[in-house]
Amino acid sequence: MAAPEHTIPAPPRPSSSATSRLAGFRRLGPGLAIAALGAVAALVIAAFVPGLSPLLVGIVLGLAARNFGLLPDRLAAGLAVAARVPLRLGIVVLGLQLSLRDLAALGWGIPVLAAVVVATGIVATIGIGRALGVPARQALLIACGFSVCGAAAVAGVESIVDADEEETVTAVALVVLFGTAMIPVVPLLAGVFGLAPHVAAIWAGASIHEVAQVVAAGGIIGGGALAVAVTVKLARVLMLAPVAAVLSWRRRRSGELAGAKRPPIVPLFVVGFLLMVILRSAVPVPTEVLGAASWVQSFLLTTAMLALGAGVRLGVLLRRGGRTLALAACSTAVVGAVGLAGAALIG
């Protein structure tokens, strides 16, 4: 009788979930890695140039890589994820930079000024955009970016209003362009108007678009202006939550969402931002932790800016010029004028 044959068992086949994860990593990993490495490069470049925002460097690197044909198509999926997820995580971490105690120390005039600047800036920009014929979603993104807190505000509302990538990148690019221009302009005009450093600092914080740009302007003003300017700016950052809630509520109430999934009243990342604000206000946070959080925030936002820039072709961006640029200039003027008036009254 022949001996039974022994068969070698086949190696176990990977589960469908493991295969799916591996396929997802292969599809998204290269684009995510390029965005992260580009963000590190942008942070290093900005570190050697005082006053230069890494967000600006990131978006320029992304635009250059896209328009010089350096990005193969296989990176597109990962870059698309890098343009969304790090931006929202960066907003959450941004909340750790804001303490309600710091705002209260400056008096209740600062939160009132922040609310007035945000409300007036948004309403005026939307109205001017309508008069200029700028598409409504584009005007709204510019309004929020210029009135609230720059790129973080654009990110905070783009998913709520269902903006496309070109509209989002256009708004971010304009924030960088006009906010950077305000860095030397506000201190220069403050000297022309004879404003005291404290008043000039309030004006900078109430008018300039990005936190990093406010830091640069506060450093130029000098004295104790930096801390005051940043605190006033962070009061505007806090307005992101109510602005996002109002926009989400209005969209839920509108007929455009019939049959579609409605966005939450307050997006999850905005809830995370508010929790970080509460944590910073309720618990003493070590300086080392705040420093690390600031770096993480910059890295996340710069990663997203690079990915956003990589999604835009300059020809498309330039075609949006003219009226869109005019709207950005008008919005900057409105926010700057309201901020100056409020600073003069409070100061």
Side-chain angles (χ1 to χ4, degrees):
M1 183 174 179
E5 297 182 359
H6 294 283
T7 58
I8 299 175
R13 301 178 62 183
S15 66
S16 59
S17 60
T19 303
S20 176
R21 286 194 297 270
L22 181 60
F25 175 78
R26 288 175 175 171
R27 185 171 62 92
L28 302 178
L32 290 169
I34 288 295
L37 290 173
V40 172
L43 288 165
V44 171
I45 293 170
F48 285 97
V49 183
L52 181 62
S53 169
L55 277 67
L56 170 60
V57 179
I59 200 168
V60 168
L61 289 178
L63 281 167
R66 167 59 62 193
N67 291 277
F68 282 107
L70 302 178
L71 299 175
D73 292 339
R74 65 188 181 89
L75 300 179
L79 288 171
V81 173
R84 297 191 306 270
V85 177
L87 208 46
R88 286 154 178 74
L89 292 175
I91 293 173
V92 173
V93 180
L94 179 62
L96 272 181
Q97 306 301 319
L98 177 58
S99 169
L100 298 178
R101 291 191 301 272
D102 293 338
L103 293 181
L106 288 178
W108 287 106
I110 297 301
V112 171
L113 173 59
V116 171
V117 167
V118 169
T120 305
I122 291 176
V123 172
T125 303
I126 291 174
I128 296 169
R130 187 178 295 118
L132 291 173
V134 176
R137 290 187 308 195
Q138 184 70 84
L140 180 58
L141 290 179
I142 293 172
C144 293
F146 283 41
S147 303
V148 185
C149 55
V154 174
V157 302
E158 58 91 14
S159 59
I160 298 174
V161 303
D162 198 25
D164 62 36
E165 190 174 29
E166 289 179 8
E167 291 169 331
T168 301
V169 174
T170 298
V172 171
L174 291 171
V175 162
V176 171
L177 176 63
F178 283 86
T180 301
M182 292 180 75
I183 293 173
V185 168
V186 168
L188 177 63
L189 290 180
V192 172
F193 298 153
L195 301 180
H198 180 78
V199 178
I202 295 175
W203 183 26
S207 304
I208 300 177
H209 309 327
E210 284 280 354
V211 175
Q213 295 160 351
V214 171
V215 170
I220 294 173
I221 294 169
L226 180 57
V228 173
V230 171
T231 304
V232 174
K233 176 60 184 176
L234 291 177
R236 288 168 65 199
V237 173
L238 188 59
M239 296 295 108
L240 175 60
V243 167
V246 169
L247 292 176
S248 183
W249 175 79
R250 288 192 61 182
R251 190 161 186 247
R252 286 167 64 94
R253 291 286 299 264
S254 69
E256 65 179 286
L257 287 173
K261 183 181 178 180
R262 296 188 173 192
I265 289 293
V266 180
L268 185 60
F269 65 91
V270 177
V271 174
F273 166 79
L274 289 174
L275 290 175
M276 291 297 101
V277 173
I278 293 171
L279 175 64
R280 171 72 192 280
S281 303
V283 178
V285 181
T287 303
E288 295 78 8
V289 173
L290 292 178
S294 179
W295 188 92
V296 170
Q297 168 207 316
S298 295
F299 171 73
L300 290 170
L301 293 180
T302 303
T303 300
M305 292 303 103
L306 188 140
L308 283 170
V312 173
R313 300 187 185 277
L314 280 176
V316 175
L317 187 60
L318 292 174
R319 283 198 298 272
R320 290 182 177 268
R323 295 177 181 180
T324 305
L325 282 171
L327 175 59
C330 290
S331 182
T332 298
V334 169
V335 171
V338 175
L340 175 59
L345 288 173
I346 294 174

